[in-house]
Amino acid sequence: MNSIPWNPVTGMAALSASLPLLNWAWGMIAGNTQRKASDLLSIALIGGSFLLSLWVFIQVADGAVFQSSGSWVQVGTAQSGLELRWGLRIDFLAAAMLAMISGIATLVHFFSGEYLEKDPAFGRYASYLGFFCSAMMWLVLADNLLLIFFCWELVGLASYLLIGFWRTKEAASRASQKAFLVNRIGDAGFLVGILILISFTGTLTLDELPAQLALIPSGWQIAAALCLFVGAAGKSAQFPLQGWLPDAMEGPTPVSSLIHAATMVAAGVYLLARIAFLIPAEAGAVIALVGAITAFMGAISAMTQWDIKRVLAYSTISQLGYMVMAIGVGARDMALLHLFTHAFFKCALFLSAGAVIHAVHSQDMREMGGLRKRLPKVFWAYLPPMLALSGLPLFSGFLSKDGILLGATMWAMDGEAIRWLVPIIGFATAGLTAWYMGRHAWLIFFAKASTSGQAIQRPGIRMWLPLALLALLCVWLPFGLHPLTAETSWLVAGWGTSASESSSLHLPLAVLSIFVSLTGLALAYRMRKRFQRTGATEGIFHRLSYRHFFWDWWYEKVIAVAFLRIGHFFQWIDRKLIDGGIHTFAWLVVHPGKTPSLSSMASAIDDRLIDGFVNALAQSVSGLGRRLRRLHTGQVQWSLGMALVMLGVILLLSWLAA
């Protein structure tokens, strides 16, 4: 295969992805001694990366594709061996992802300067952030699965460093280890999928794989698709590998914003979108069902949280479930649109939470309340992304969520009755999303003030300016002209218009979606007075008033009890089954006591069999050498005599043989 030389577009894209690495290199040299220089340099480098990415995006906006590639590793001969290649593919999707990642990262870097202004390790933080962004940008530029996997691992390493940034905090250290280990499970599946594909097709290049699918037996194609999905499930926190994401909140809030908006969790959905051609119908059904279950579990779990960031973390799990569900039902374009809209409104929500935490020095929403008047800039910046996540019209989240629900409904209509579980769960999750976000907003900004007697630290321009810009990107207009449909979205047009958008079902399903979201907000408003003393699904035994007897009975005895028990069941699954399984496996590998562990048995095999054989062979050779050494005295006469004797023996044997 011939190499494709560099061209200006691939060169600029590579430079855009590499600039943040200079920040990492500077951090390794300067450490934490040059805080101001690290701050300014990090903003300048990521800002330069964003400007370059915009230029790259303009070059491919008309549908052009630019590529560069070359040989990476050659195994065997050129005729019969295997060649592994590196390559960049800059198309509309890659360029849009590059611009989105670098743009959000620029705002996060700008926000971080004030949020971590008193942190003595800011230089290390800035260097880790640069490494994280660069790894993710290289991932979206890669044209083959092997290079994607290489960058995939770098993204995992960077997330481990950033989640555990506060090294002296035990919870942060444990959270980073959990994220790293759970993702290794997913990465093992990713690697197996790669091996299946290369064993049948001999290539991992995304442009070449579609033409080689006929070489893969149907069973093995399903296995490859599901193995790659396991990798995506690890990164994008899908059931049952979702438990690491809420714990990742132990890192700094700007890191949480970047992880949940544009980097780590986006990698899994991006991978599934890139390999959508590889996913057969059977694997798609599994992926859709897992995504729906994850969306529902995340929404239920978000309703029972008190931590301002953990609510948003479970919300991210739920929204990622929507994206994965869309990939499974064949609505790839809507999944990608939701990936973009979610990036902006979730980044805005996390940075708003960071501004609140910075002001009140607490993450417990029961210790907040009444901040609408005390932090007016934060409140008005929080409102558009909150409404976008709730799925209300005129905001970006409605466009993509409505498209996903429409695609899921049309998919269910074309198959067995069991498929209807997916859209039903999708609509139910939409209502729950509006409900828990209404609770979130009420506890922080509207409830009875818990901070009225204490001074708060108002955010400066470096905190509220990114919030204002992100809030503007949460309305529908930046994504399309029509406020109620994604059909006119320029992003959807860039990677292929959805067939589902032309369906006659669009209007009734949009009305149903709006009704469900408004119902969720209404339930949140109805329960607003109970939120401060109980959770949304807790405190179900309070005294009922006669005036609201029927409503309270229905809520108390049916809805609240059901949600409370379901939420506790999901948390039990996470703690007992998923974490318990990991802990059990870890105990089997390493545990103290007389019972041998897997590691002790492996060590015994290594010491007694492998090392024992090598040591025995070495001792035998050494003993033979000691015996042969006696034949050599160091005297010339003796050596000459022995040589003549050996010569005589050889001549005698030759004569006898003749």
Side-chain angles (χ1 to χ4, degrees), residues 18-94:
S18 300
L19 277 180
L21 276 181
L22 297 178
N23 188 33
W24 172 76
W26 165 259
M28 295 299 100
I29 296 172
N32 299 313
T33 59
Q34 303 291 328
R35 187 198 181 285
K36 187 174 182 179
S38 297
D39 185 17
L40 296 177
L41 183 64
S42 65
I43 296 173
L45 290 175
I46 195 65
S49 177
F50 174 59
L51 294 177
L52 290 175
S53 70
L54 289 180
W55 183 87
V56 171
F57 181 77
I58 292 172
Q59 306 309 307
V60 300
D62 59 352
V65 178
F66 297 88
Q67 292 180 280
S68 294
S69 65
S71 180
W72 190 4
V73 178
Q74 180 72 44
V75 181
T77 63
Q79 292 75 21
S80 61
L82 175 66
E83 183 185 28
L84 302 177
R85 302 176 61 80
W86 66 267
L88 305 182
R89 188 181 194 276
I90 317 300
D91 57 5
F92 186 91
L93 175 57

Coordinates of all heavy atoms in Angstrom, one line a residue, residues 18-94:
S18 N -1.4 18.8 18.3 CA -0.1 18.6 19.0 C 0.2 19.8 19.9 O 1.0 19.7 20.8 CB 1.0 18.5 18.0 OG 0.8 17.3 17.2
L19 N -0.4 21.0 19.6 CA 0.0 22.2 20.4 C -0.2 22.0 21.9 O 0.6 22.4 22.7 CB -0.9 23.4 19.9 CG -0.3 24.1 18.7 CD1 -1.3 25.3 18.3 CD2 1.1 24.6 18.9
P20 N -1.3 21.4 22.4 CA -1.5 21.2 23.8 C -0.3 20.3 24.4 O -0.1 20.5 25.6 CB -2.8 20.5 24.0 CG -3.6 20.9 22.7 CD -2.5 21.0 21.7
L21 N 0.3 19.5 23.6 CA 1.4 18.7 24.2 C 2.6 19.6 24.6 O 3.4 19.2 25.5 CB 1.9 17.7 23.1 CG 1.2 16.4 23.0 CD1 1.8 15.5 22.0 CD2 1.2 15.7 24.4
L22 N 2.7 20.8 23.9 CA 3.8 21.7 24.4 C 3.5 22.2 25.8 O 4.5 22.4 26.6 CB 3.8 22.9 23.4 CG 4.2 22.6 22.0 CD1 4.2 23.9 21.1 CD2 5.6 21.9 21.9
N23 N 2.3 22.3 26.1 CA 1.9 22.7 27.5 C 2.3 21.6 28.5 O 2.8 21.9 29.6 CB 0.4 23.0 27.6 CG 0.0 23.5 28.9 OD1 0.7 24.3 29.5 ND2 -1.2 23.2 29.3
W24 N 2.1 20.4 28.1 CA 2.5 19.2 28.9 C 4.0 19.2 29.1 O 4.6 19.0 30.2 CB 2.0 17.9 28.3 CG 2.6 16.7 28.9 CD1 2.2 16.2 30.1 CD2 3.6 15.9 28.5 NE1 2.9 15.0 30.4 CE2 3.8 14.8 29.4 CE3 4.4 15.9 27.3 CZ2 4.8 13.8 29.3 CZ3 5.4 14.9 27.1 CH2 5.5 13.9 28.1
A25 N 4.8 19.5 28.0 CA 6.2 19.5 28.0 C 6.7 20.7 28.9 O 7.6 20.5 29.7 CB 6.8 19.7 26.6
W26 N 6.1 21.8 28.8 CA 6.4 22.9 29.7 C 6.2 22.6 31.2 O 7.0 22.9 32.0 CB 5.6 24.2 29.3 CG 5.6 25.3 30.3 CD1 4.7 25.6 31.2 CD2 6.7 26.2 30.6 NE1 5.0 26.6 32.0 CE2 6.3 27.0 31.7 CE3 8.0 26.4 30.0 CZ2 7.1 28.0 32.2 CZ3 8.8 27.4 30.5 CH2 8.3 28.2 31.6
G27 N 5.1 21.9 31.4 CA 4.8 21.5 32.8 C 5.8 20.6 33.4 O 6.1 20.6 34.6
M28 N 6.3 19.7 32.5 CA 7.3 18.7 33.0 C 8.6 19.4 33.3 O 9.4 19.0 34.2 CB 7.6 17.7 31.9 CG 6.4 16.8 31.6 SD 5.8 15.8 33.1 CE 4.4 16.7 33.6
I29 N 8.9 20.5 32.6 CA 10.1 21.3 32.8 C 10.0 22.3 34.0 O 10.8 22.3 34.9 CB 10.5 22.1 31.5 CG1 10.8 21.1 30.4 CG2 11.7 23.0 31.8 CD1 11.0 21.7 29.1
A30 N 8.9 23.1 34.0 CA 8.8 24.1 35.0 C 8.1 23.7 36.2 O 8.3 24.3 37.3 CB 7.9 25.3 34.4
G31 N 7.4 22.6 36.2 CA 6.7 22.1 37.4 C 5.6 23.1 37.8 O 4.9 23.7 37.1
N32 N 5.6 23.3 39.2 CA 4.6 24.2 39.8 C 5.2 25.6 40.1 O 4.6 26.3 40.9 CB 4.0 23.6 41.0 CG 3.3 22.3 40.7 OD1 2.5 22.2 39.7 ND2 3.6 21.2 41.5
T33 N 6.4 25.9 39.6 CA 7.1 27.1 40.1 C 6.7 28.3 39.3 O 6.8 29.4 39.7 CB 8.6 26.9 39.9 OG1 8.9 26.6 38.5 CG2 9.1 25.7 40.8
Q34 N 6.2 28.1 38.1 CA 5.8 29.2 37.2 C 4.3 29.2 36.9 O 3.8 29.0 35.8 CB 6.6 29.2 35.9 CG 8.1 29.1 36.0 CD 8.6 30.4 36.5 OE1 8.1 31.5 36.2 NE2 9.7 30.4 37.3
R35 N 3.5 29.5 38.0 CA 2.1 29.4 37.9 C 1.5 30.3 36.8 O 0.7 29.9 35.9 CB 1.4 29.7 39.2 CG -0.1 29.4 39.2 CD -0.8 30.0 40.3 NE -2.2 29.7 40.2 CZ -3.1 30.2 39.3 NH1 -2.7 31.0 38.4 NH2 -4.4 29.8 39.3
K36 N 1.8 31.6 36.8 CA 1.3 32.5 35.9 C 1.7 32.2 34.4 O 0.8 32.3 33.5 CB 1.7 34.0 36.2 CG 1.0 35.0 35.4 CD 1.4 36.4 35.9 CE 0.7 37.5 35.1 NZ 1.0 38.9 35.5
A37 N 2.9 31.8 34.2 CA 3.4 31.4 32.9 C 2.6 30.2 32.4 O 2.2 30.1 31.3 CB 4.9 31.2 32.9
S38 N 2.4 29.2 33.3 CA 1.7 28.0 32.9 C 0.3 28.3 32.6 O -0.3 27.8 31.6 CB 1.7 27.0 34.1 OG 3.0 26.6 34.4
D39 N -0.3 29.3 33.3 CA -1.7 29.7 33.0 C -1.8 30.3 31.6 O -2.6 29.9 30.8 CB -2.2 30.6 34.1 CG -3.7 31.0 34.0 OD1 -4.4 30.3 33.2 OD2 -4.1 32.0 34.6
L40 N -1.0 31.3 31.4 CA -1.1 32.0 30.1 C -0.7 31.1 28.9 O -1.3 31.2 27.9 CB -0.2 33.3 30.2 CG -0.5 34.3 31.2 CD1 0.5 35.5 31.2 CD2 -1.9 34.9 30.9
L41 N 0.3 30.3 29.1 CA 0.8 29.4 28.0 C -0.3 28.4 27.7 O -0.5 28.1 26.5 CB 2.1 28.7 28.4 CG 2.7 27.8 27.4 CD1 3.1 28.6 26.2 CD2 3.9 27.1 27.9
S42 N -1.0 27.8 28.7 CA -2.0 26.8 28.5 C -3.1 27.4 27.7 O -3.6 26.8 26.7 CB -2.5 26.2 29.8 OG -3.2 27.2 30.6
I43 N -3.6 28.7 28.0 CA -4.7 29.3 27.3 C -4.2 29.6 25.9 O -5.0 29.4 24.9 CB -5.1 30.6 28.0 CG1 -5.7 30.2 29.4 CG2 -6.1 31.3 27.2 CD1 -6.0 31.4 30.3
A44 N -3.0 30.1 25.7 CA -2.5 30.5 24.4 C -2.4 29.3 23.5 O -2.8 29.3 22.3 CB -1.2 31.2 24.5
L45 N -1.9 28.2 24.0 CA -1.7 27.0 23.2 C -3.1 26.3 22.8 O -3.3 26.0 21.6 CB -0.8 25.9 23.9 CG 0.6 26.3 24.0 CD1 1.4 25.3 24.9 CD2 1.3 26.4 22.7
I46 N -4.0 26.2 23.7 CA -5.2 25.6 23.4 C -6.1 26.5 22.6 O -6.9 26.1 21.7 CB -6.0 25.1 24.7 CG1 -7.1 24.2 24.3 CG2 -6.5 26.3 25.4 CD1 -6.7 22.9 23.8
G47 N -5.9 27.8 22.8 CA -6.6 28.8 21.9 C -6.1 28.7 20.5 O -6.9 28.8 19.5
G48 N -4.8 28.6 20.4 CA -4.2 28.5 19.0 C -4.7 27.2 18.4 O -5.0 27.2 17.1
S49 N -4.8 26.1 19.1 CA -5.3 24.9 18.6 C -6.7 25.0 18.1 O -7.1 24.5 17.0 CB -5.3 23.8 19.7 OG -5.8 22.6 19.2
F50 N -7.6 25.8 18.8 CA -8.9 26.0 18.4 C -9.0 26.8 17.1 O -9.8 26.5 16.2 CB -9.7 26.8 19.5 CG -11.1 27.2 19.1 CD1 -12.0 26.2 18.8 CD2 -11.4 28.5 19.1 CE1 -13.3 26.6 18.4 CE2 -12.7 28.9 18.8 CZ -13.7 27.9 18.4
L51 N -8.2 27.8 17.0 CA -8.2 28.6 15.7 C -7.7 27.8 14.5 O -8.3 27.8 13.4 CB -7.2 29.8 15.9 CG -7.7 30.9 16.9 CD1 -6.6 32.0 17.0 CD2 -9.0 31.5 16.5
L52 N -6.7 26.9 14.7 CA -6.3 26.0 13.6 C -7.4 25.0 13.3 O -7.6 24.7 12.1 CB -5.0 25.3 14.1 CG -3.8 26.1 14.2 CD1 -2.6 25.2 14.7 CD2 -3.4 26.7 12.8
S53 N -8.1 24.5 14.3 CA -9.2 23.6 14.0 C -10.3 24.2 13.2 O -11.0 23.6 12.4 CB -9.7 23.0 15.3 OG -10.4 24.0 16.1
L54 N -10.6 25.5 13.5 CA -11.6 26.2 12.7 C -11.2 26.3 11.2 O -12.0 26.1 10.3 CB -11.8 27.6 13.3 CG -12.6 27.7 14.6 CD1 -12.7 29.2 15.1 CD2 -13.9 27.0 14.6
W55 N -9.9 26.6 11.0 CA -9.4 26.6 9.6 C -9.6 25.3 8.9 O -10.0 25.2 7.8 CB -8.0 27.1 9.6 CG -7.4 27.2 8.2 CD1 -7.5 28.3 7.4 CD2 -6.7 26.2 7.5 NE1 -6.9 28.1 6.2 CE2 -6.4 26.8 6.2 CE3 -6.4 24.9 7.7 CZ2 -5.7 26.1 5.2 CZ3 -5.7 24.2 6.7 CH2 -5.4 24.7 5.5
V56 N -9.2 24.2 9.7 CA -9.4 22.9 9.1 C -10.9 22.6 8.8 O -11.2 22.0 7.8 CB -8.8 21.8 10.1 CG1 -9.2 20.4 9.7 CG2 -7.3 22.0 10.2
F57 N -11.7 23.0 9.7 CA -13.2 22.7 9.5 C -13.7 23.4 8.3 O -14.5 22.9 7.5 CB -14.0 23.1 10.7 CG -15.4 22.9 10.6 CD1 -15.9 21.6 10.8 CD2 -16.3 23.9 10.3 CE1 -17.3 21.3 10.7 CE2 -17.7 23.7 10.2 CZ -18.2 22.4 10.4
I58 N -13.2 24.6 8.0 CA -13.7 25.4 6.8 C -13.3 24.6 5.6 O -14.0 24.6 4.6 CB -13.1 26.8 6.9 CG1 -13.7 27.6 8.0 CG2 -13.3 27.5 5.6 CD1 -13.1 29.0 8.3
Q59 N -12.1 24.0 5.6 CA -11.6 23.3 4.4 C -12.4 22.1 4.1 O -12.5 21.7 2.9 CB -10.1 22.9 4.6 CG -9.2 24.0 5.0 CD -9.3 25.2 4.1 OE1 -9.2 25.1 2.9 NE2 -9.5 26.4 4.7
V60 N -13.1 21.5 5.0 CA -13.9 20.3 4.8 C -15.4 20.5 4.9 O -16.1 19.6 4.8 CB -13.4 19.1 5.7 CG1 -12.0 18.8 5.6 CG2 -13.8 19.5 7.2
A61 N -15.8 21.7 5.0 CA -17.2 22.0 5.2 C -18.0 21.7 4.0 O -19.2 21.4 4.1 CB -17.4 23.5 5.6
D62 N -17.4 21.6 2.8 CA -18.1 21.3 1.6 C -18.1 19.8 1.3 O -18.6 19.3 0.3 CB -17.5 22.0 0.4 CG -16.1 21.7 0.2 OD1 -15.5 21.0 1.1 OD2 -15.5 22.1 -0.8
G63 N -17.7 19.0 2.3 CA -17.6 17.5 2.1 C -16.3 16.9 1.7 O -16.2 15.7 1.5
A64 N -15.3 17.8 1.5 CA -14.0 17.2 1.1 C -13.4 16.4 2.2 O -13.7 16.6 3.4 CB -13.1 18.4 0.8
V65 N -12.5 15.5 1.8 CA -11.8 14.6 2.7 C -10.3 14.6 2.4 O -9.9 14.5 1.2 CB -12.3 13.1 2.6 CG1 -11.5 12.2 3.5 CG2 -13.8 13.0 2.9
F66 N -9.5 14.8 3.4 CA -8.1 14.9 3.3 C -7.4 13.8 4.1 O -7.8 13.5 5.2 CB -7.5 16.2 3.7 CG -8.0 17.4 2.9 CD1 -9.2 18.0 3.2 CD2 -7.3 17.8 1.7 CE1 -9.7 19.1 2.4 CE2 -7.8 18.9 1.0 CZ -9.0 19.5 1.3
Q67 N -6.4 13.1 3.5 CA -5.8 12.0 4.2 C -4.3 12.1 4.1 O -3.8 12.6 3.1 CB -6.3 10.6 3.7 CG -7.7 10.4 4.0 CD -8.2 9.0 3.4 OE1 -8.5 8.9 2.2 NE2 -8.3 8.0 4.2
S68 N -3.6 11.5 5.1 CA -2.2 11.3 5.1 C -1.9 10.0 5.8 O -2.6 9.7 6.8 CB -1.4 12.4 5.7 OG -1.5 13.6 5.0
S69 N -1.0 9.1 5.3 CA -0.8 7.8 5.9 C 0.6 7.4 5.6 O 1.3 7.9 4.7 CB -1.8 6.8 5.5 OG -1.7 6.5 4.1
G70 N 1.1 6.3 6.3 CA 2.4 5.7 6.0 C 2.5 4.5 6.8 O 1.7 4.1 7.7
S71 N 3.6 3.7 6.5 CA 3.8 2.5 7.2 C 4.2 2.7 8.6 O 5.0 3.6 8.9 CB 4.9 1.7 6.5 OG 5.1 0.4 7.1
W72 N 3.7 1.9 9.5 CA 4.0 2.0 11.0 C 4.8 0.8 11.4 O 5.9 1.0 11.9 CB 2.7 2.1 11.8 CG 2.8 2.5 13.2 CD1 4.0 2.8 13.9 CD2 1.8 2.6 14.2 NE1 3.7 3.1 15.2 CE2 2.4 3.0 15.4 CE3 0.4 2.4 14.1 CZ2 1.6 3.2 16.5 CZ3 -0.4 2.6 15.2 CH2 0.2 3.0 16.5
V73 N 4.3 -0.4 11.3 CA 4.9 -1.6 11.7 C 4.8 -2.6 10.6 O 3.6 -2.8 10.1 CB 4.4 -2.2 13.0 CG1 5.1 -3.5 13.4 CG2 4.5 -1.1 14.1
Q74 N 5.9 -3.3 10.2 CA 5.8 -4.3 9.2 C 6.1 -5.7 9.8 O 7.2 -5.8 10.4 CB 6.8 -4.1 8.0 CG 6.8 -5.1 7.0 CD 5.6 -5.1 6.1 OE1 5.1 -4.0 5.7 NE2 5.0 -6.2 5.8
V75 N 5.2 -6.6 9.8 CA 5.4 -7.9 10.3 C 5.5 -8.9 9.2 O 4.5 -9.0 8.4 CB 4.2 -8.3 11.3 CG1 4.4 -9.7 11.8 CG2 4.0 -7.3 12.4
G76 N 6.6 -9.6 9.0 CA 6.8 -10.5 7.9 C 7.2 -9.8 6.7 O 7.7 -8.6 6.7
T77 N 7.1 -10.4 5.5 CA 7.5 -9.8 4.3 C 6.4 -8.9 3.7 O 5.3 -9.0 4.1 CB 7.9 -10.9 3.3 OG1 6.7 -11.7 3.0 CG2 8.9 -11.9 3.8
A78 N 6.8 -8.2 2.7 CA 5.8 -7.3 2.1 C 4.7 -8.0 1.3 O 3.6 -7.6 1.2 CB 6.5 -6.3 1.2
Q79 N 5.1 -9.2 0.9 CA 4.1 -10.0 0.1 C 3.2 -10.8 1.0 O 2.0 -10.9 0.7 CB 4.9 -11.0 -0.9 CG 5.6 -10.3 -2.0 CD 6.9 -9.7 -1.5 OE1 7.4 -10.0 -0.5 NE2 7.4 -8.7 -2.3
S80 N 3.7 -11.5 2.0 CA 2.9 -12.4 2.8 C 2.7 -11.9 4.3 O 2.1 -12.6 5.0 CB 3.5 -13.8 2.8 OG 4.8 -13.7 3.4
G81 N 3.3 -10.8 4.6 CA 3.2 -10.3 6.0 C 2.1 -9.4 6.3 O 1.2 -9.2 5.4
L82 N 2.1 -8.8 7.4 CA 1.1 -7.8 7.8 C 1.7 -6.5 8.1 O 2.7 -6.3 8.8 CB 0.4 -8.3 9.1 CG -0.6 -7.4 9.8 CD1 -1.9 -7.2 8.9 CD2 -1.0 -7.9 11.1
E83 N 1.1 -5.4 7.4 CA 1.6 -4.1 7.6 C 0.6 -3.3 8.4 O -0.6 -3.2 8.1 CB 1.8 -3.4 6.2 CG 2.3 -2.0 6.3 CD 2.4 -1.3 5.0 OE1 1.6 -1.6 4.1 OE2 3.3 -0.4 4.9
L84 N 1.0 -2.7 9.5 CA 0.2 -1.9 10.4 C 0.6 -0.4 10.0 O 1.8 -0.1 10.0 CB 0.4 -2.2 11.8 CG 0.1 -3.6 12.3 CD1 0.5 -3.8 13.7 CD2 -1.3 -4.0 12.0
R85 N -0.4 0.4 9.8 CA -0.2 1.7 9.3 C -0.7 2.8 10.2 O -1.6 2.6 11.0 CB -0.8 1.9 7.9 CG -0.4 0.9 6.8 CD -1.2 1.1 5.5 NE -1.0 2.4 5.0 CZ 0.1 2.7 4.2 NH1 1.1 1.9 4.0 NH2 0.2 4.0 3.7
W86 N -0.1 4.0 10.2 CA -0.6 5.2 10.8 C -1.3 6.0 9.7 O -1.0 5.9 8.6 CB 0.5 6.0 11.5 CG 1.5 6.6 10.5 CD1 2.6 6.1 10.1 CD2 1.3 7.8 9.9 NE1 3.3 6.9 9.2 CE2 2.5 8.0 9.0 CE3 0.3 8.8 9.8 CZ2 2.7 9.1 8.2 CZ3 0.5 9.9 9.0 CH2 1.7 10.1 8.2
G87 N -2.3 6.8 10.1 CA -2.9 7.6 9.1 C -3.9 8.6 9.8 O -4.4 8.3 10.9
L88 N -4.1 9.7 9.1 CA -5.0 10.7 9.5 C -6.1 10.8 8.4 O -5.8 10.8 7.2 CB -4.4 12.1 9.7 CG -3.2 12.1 10.7 CD1 -2.7 13.6 10.8 CD2 -3.5 11.6 12.0
R89 N -7.4 11.0 8.9 CA -8.5 11.2 8.0 C -9.3 12.4 8.4 O -9.9 12.3 9.5 CB -9.3 9.9 7.9 CG -10.4 10.0 6.8 CD -11.3 8.7 6.8 NE -12.1 8.6 5.6 CZ -13.2 9.2 5.4 NH1 -13.7 10.0 6.4 NH2 -13.9 9.1 4.2
I90 N -9.2 13.4 7.7 CA -9.9 14.7 8.0 C -11.1 14.8 7.2 O -11.1 15.2 6.0 CB -9.0 15.9 7.9 CG1 -7.6 15.6 8.4 CG2 -9.6 17.1 8.6 CD1 -7.5 15.2 9.8
D91 N -12.3 14.4 7.7 CA -13.6 14.6 7.1 C -14.4 15.6 7.9 O -13.9 16.2 8.9 CB -14.3 13.3 6.8 CG -14.5 12.5 8.1 OD1 -14.2 13.0 9.2 OD2 -15.0 11.4 8.0
F92 N -15.7 15.7 7.6 CA -16.5 16.7 8.3 C -16.6 16.3 9.7 O -16.6 17.2 10.6 CB -17.9 16.7 7.6 CG -18.8 17.7 8.2 CD1 -18.9 19.0 7.6 CD2 -19.7 17.4 9.3 CE1 -19.8 20.0 8.1 CE2 -20.5 18.4 9.8 CZ -20.6 19.6 9.2
L93 N -16.8 15.0 10.1 CA -17.0 14.6 11.4 C -15.7 14.8 12.2 O -15.8 15.4 13.4 CB -17.4 13.2 11.5 CG -17.5 12.5 12.9 CD1 -18.5 13.3 13.8 CD2 -18.0 11.1 12.8
A94 N -14.6 14.4 11.7 CA -13.3 14.6 12.4 C -13.0 16.1 12.7 O -12.6 16.5 13.8 CB -12.2 13.9 11.7

